């Protein structure tokens, strides 16, 4: 897996420049954290990476191939490899579907994929879904429920199971724990950390919380007003030459 983002620039209007020449790369098994305050451009970046938002300048290269909206076959392959978890799983789970059907959506879209970690042979679709739910610590009893019958943390686990079902090589998480209370946040972060190791997956983890990012990621990128102002490895987080804005984020996190 290799992702190269080069000079990405995005404006929503003359006055709103959400991203300014953003460049970074993610390699195999690497986890990159992107932190910044509200409005710094984090979700815009996530949406562009997933092909859900257009951009004016710059390029995205995945495994050596430039990703452009018009190359449909390539885009399909890319979307299989790059999965996403959003802050609000309520909006991404179809309210009309029982949980087990939602979990299977990616596998239904990519019928050619047989995940290595799941026994599909002789299993019904629902049994496959239950295996996925169990993988994220949920029970078979959840399978027939509807999204509104689950807690926020449980829904986020369903989103994780769904995203991992087709063994993506890169998982993009946009504030996946922001709407959860602190103990549930930790459980979800631990789950992601485990899966990162198990699946040899690369992660882009977006958060305003530098502590959450530091827990999961080896490298941190700091976004401010659409620009990268700092980039460092986690062991250098307390270095004196960190950008003043990074230091402010660390201070804010430690007194919260
Ligand atoms: N669809 C849109 N139309 C116009 N402006 C937008 C749109 N989406 C985002 N913006 C603007 O782009 C900038 C970056 O927004 P973005 O959602 O990427 O920030 P963020 O870092 O994800 O913030 P938060 O932490 O609050 O989620 C903001 O100034 C925002 O108002
Ligand atoms: Mg956001």
């Amino acid at each position: 897996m290799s992702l190269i983002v080069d000079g990405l620039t995005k404006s929503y209007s003359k006055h709103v420049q959400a991203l300014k020449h953003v460049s970074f790369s993610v390699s195999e098994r690497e986890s990159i954290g992107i932190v910044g305050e509200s409005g710094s451009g984090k979700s815009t970046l996530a949406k562009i990476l997933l092909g859900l938002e257009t951009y004016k300048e710059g390029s995205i290269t995945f495994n050596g191939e430039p990703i452009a909206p018009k190359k449909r076959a390539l885009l399909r392959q890319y979307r299989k490899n790059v999965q996403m978890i959003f802050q609000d799983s309520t909006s991404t789970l179809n309210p009309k579907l029982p949980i087990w059907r939602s979990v299977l959506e990616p596998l239904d879209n990519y019928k050619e994929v047989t995940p290595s970690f799941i026994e599909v042979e002789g299993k019904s679709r629902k049994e496959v879904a239950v295996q996925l739910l169990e993988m994220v610590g949920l029970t078979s009893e959840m399978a027939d429920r509807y999204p509104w019958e689950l807690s926020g943390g449980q829904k986020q686990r369903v989103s994780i199971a769904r995203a991992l079902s087709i063994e993506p090589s890169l998982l993009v998480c946009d504030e996946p724990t922001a709407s959860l209370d602190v103990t549930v946040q930790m459980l979800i972060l631990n789950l992601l950390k485990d899966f990162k190791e198990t699946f040899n997956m690369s992660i882009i983890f977006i958060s305003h919380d530098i502590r959450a990012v530091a827990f999961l990621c080896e490298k941190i990128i700091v976004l401010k007003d659409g620009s990268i102002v700092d980039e460092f490895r986690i062991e250098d987080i307390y270095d004196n030459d960190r950008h003043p804005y990074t230091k402010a984020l660390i201070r804010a996190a430690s007194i919260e």
Side-chain angles (χ1 to χ4, degrees):
M1 201 300 301
S2 130
L3 178 84
I4 301 167
V5 174
D6 189 25
L8 208 60
T9 296
K10 164 78 185 174
S11 354
Y12 285 108
S13 69
K14 248 189 209 158
H15 310 289
V16 185
Q17 246 209 317
L19 295 175
K20 299 167 194 160
H21 306 288
V22 167
S23 302
F24 64 94
S25 62
V26 187
S27 48
E28 186 97 22
R29 297 181 198 192
E30 197 174 31
S31 51
I32 306 272
I34 297 178
V35 280
E37 64 195 345
S38 184
S40 56
K42 305 183 299 294
S43 294
T44 301
L45 178 61
K47 284 185 214 152
I48 290 177
L49 287 176
L50 269 287
L52 304 171
E53 187 68 82
T54 58
Y55 53 99
K56 196 171 74 181
E57 278 172 47
S59 65
I60 300 172
T61 310
F62 185 73
N63 292 345
E65 298 264 17
I67 298 302
K70 288 199 180 118
K71 298 183 186 163
R72 294 192 60 185
L74 191 67
L75 216 56
R76 183 176 153 80
Q77 200 55 27
Y78 175 71
R79 291 222 173 97
K80 177 173 86 71
N81 282 300
V82 184
Q83 287 288 304
M84 171 121 186
I85 303 172
F86 295 92
Q87 171 175 351
D88 179 13
S89 42
T90 309
S91 60
T92 61
L93 295 176
N94 186 338
K96 295 197 188 112
L97 293 182
I99 293 303
W100 76 269
R101 294 276 310 279
S102 278
V103 166
L104 290 181
E105 264 170 354
L107 282 174
D108 288 339
N109 287 337
Y110 294 93
K111 292 212 161 55
E112 68 276 20
V113 176
T114 314
S116 64
F117 53 91
I118 281 202
E119 288 221 19
V120 184
E121 202 86 355
K123 288 241 159 70
S124 70
R125 301 296 287 158
K126 192 167 177 181
E127 284 167 336
V128 170
V130 168
Q131 272 192 62
L132 284 164
L133 292 174
E134 286 172 346
M135 184 179 84
V136 294
L138 296 174
T139 59
S140 58
E141 188 240 334
M142 302 283 169
D144 288 314
R145 291 201 198 177
Y146 286 82
W148 71 85
E149 298 172 306
L150 265 59
S151 72
Q154 288 165 339
K155 275 186 284 199
Q156 209 53 298
R157 283 174 194 263
V158 174
S159 301
I160 294 173
R162 181 171 64 172
L164 297 185
S165 66
I166 49 172
E167 291 194 283
S169 50
L170 173 66
L171 184 68
V172 180
C173 312
D174 185 7
E175 304 260 15
T177 59
S179 61
L180 307 172
D181 68 43
V182 179
T183 48
V184 184
Q185 271 181 26
M186 256 346 266
L187 293 173
I188 297 287
L189 281 174
N190 274 305
L191 199 64
L192 287 171
K193 199 166 190 165
D194 283 351
F195 286 137
K196 180 175 109 106
E197 318 268 304
T198 322
F199 292 119
N200 296 325
M201 194 169 53
S202 305
I203 296 186
I204 296 180
F205 186 88
I206 295 173
S207 178
H208 63 276
D209 180 358
I210 199 164
R211 284 170 308 180
V213 168
F215 175 76
L216 194 69
C217 302
E218 292 117 40
K219 208 162 97 182
I220 298 186
I221 285 169
V222 182
L223 261 188
K224 184 174 190 297
D225 301 328
S227 299
I228 295 180
V229 295
D230 206 357
E231 188 172 352
F232 52 92
R233 298 199 62 80
I234 189 67
E235 54 269 28
D236 300 326
I237 189 166
Y238 294 116
D239 258 26
N240 235 342
D241 53 357
R242 286 281 65 78
H243 191 280
Y245 182 63
T246 310
K247 290 182 182 169
L249 287 177
I250 297 168
R251 266 199 308 280
S254 57
I255 54 170
E256 224 174 49

